[in-house]
Amino acid sequence: MSNLESGPETRCGGQVALADPAVSDWLDGRDVPLGPRAMVRRLLPHQFRRMVGAWCFLDQFGPEDLNGSRGMSIGPHPHSGLQTVTWLLAGAVLHRDSLGSEQRIEPYQLNLMTSGAGISHSEESPAQRPPTMHGLQLWVALPEASRAVAPRFDHHAQLPRLAFGAGTRGTGPAQGTLLMGEIAGAVSPALTYSPLIGLDLELAAGASLTLPLQPDFEYAVLATKGEARVQGRALRPDGLLYLGRGRGSISLTAEPASRLFLLGGEPFEEELVMWWNFVARSHEEIVQARQDWADESPRFGEVRGFPGPRLGAPALPTTTLKPRDRHGRTMG
Ligand code: MN
């Protein structure tokens, strides 16, 4: 995914204010254009919550009927200082990148792209595909010690599956697919650079379960389908419930069959500046990254095979960068 927003840079992270203890803050998502017709629901960064652990970006796209449409078509664009995590709930996407990767992704698979200092990629709906597309696009900020690692792309077709609650393994009232991190004895093969978790949960109608959490992680949950309650609080489909940290577990209940996504991690203590598709540490780094992309520098390489032009960066903001802590603005 490419972030088309061209507004002021977002500064986040930092030790000014670490995550709250256990809280329950509802964060409304907002619709953001991703192209001529496509809209996504942006959940992070949010004005009241910039990050959850190292997770610094979260869009939900669809569910959308692609019949009669070209579908997803995001031309080559750069990334820096992050990992992109692509998770599909329905449909198929074809990924190409400057390392020469060409990878189709389908539901229950993970595309994980580690940018290091620079990589570029494109995403498109393949010609042969199911009619509906629905998914999540997330970014994970790379910590200082790892943000210049060699760029790489990993496709995980097999991820750990877990059963929670009563029932035999795989047939309980809730099934988890672990994208990243570890929980309940399962460990994802995906490469991480800071302690974090990403977990998809499918709850049968009426399911009720207790999910183990790490008290030193902060967490947030969203519903991608159905209606569920977290600690008794209803999850609406259009936002994110931030849970803070200091919890050893949470209770989840589903009314109709529901699907949830849990993200969490150790509070990320570095200050970040995010702009367009870059995660950096200063305004100057953003300016340099933008220039390197405009100059077609080898830093970001070249994507081959995408049927269309590369994306140009928006104009830099003229406003002075305002430091913000990792929380975002105070609620209420
Ligand atoms: Mn992207």
Side-chain angles (χ1 to χ4, degrees), residues 1-3 74-75 77-79 82 84 86 95 113 120-123 137 139 277:
M1 264 320 138
S2 172
N3 178 12
I74 302 171
H77 60 277
H79 285 291
L82 55 82
T84 64
T86 304
H95 160 100
M113 186 177 77
S120 55
H121 74 146
S122 63
E123 292 152 297
Q137 174 69 60
W139 298 351
N277 297 311

Side-chain angles (χ1 to χ4, degrees), residues 125-211:
S125 296
Q128 299 298 318
R129 66 194 189 222
T132 301
M133 182 173 67
H134 186 196
L136 302 176
Q137 174 69 60
L138 304 104
W139 298 351
V140 178
L142 291 173
E144 180 66 30
S146 308
R147 67 192 185 103
V149 294
R152 59 181 285 164
F153 174 77
D154 295 286
H155 174 75
H156 295 283
Q158 299 286 334
L159 294 167
R161 301 267 288 161
L162 301 104
F164 294 101
T168 54
R169 186 171 177 82
T171 61
Q175 283 199 55
T177 308
L178 182 61
L179 284 73
M180 299 176 78
E182 49 186 281
I183 190 167
V187 181
S188 165
L191 190 58
T192 57
Y193 292 91
S194 64
L196 58 82
I197 186 169
L199 176 70
D200 180 273
L201 282 167
E202 293 170 276
L203 278 65
S208 177
L209 71 139
T210 299
L211 196 67

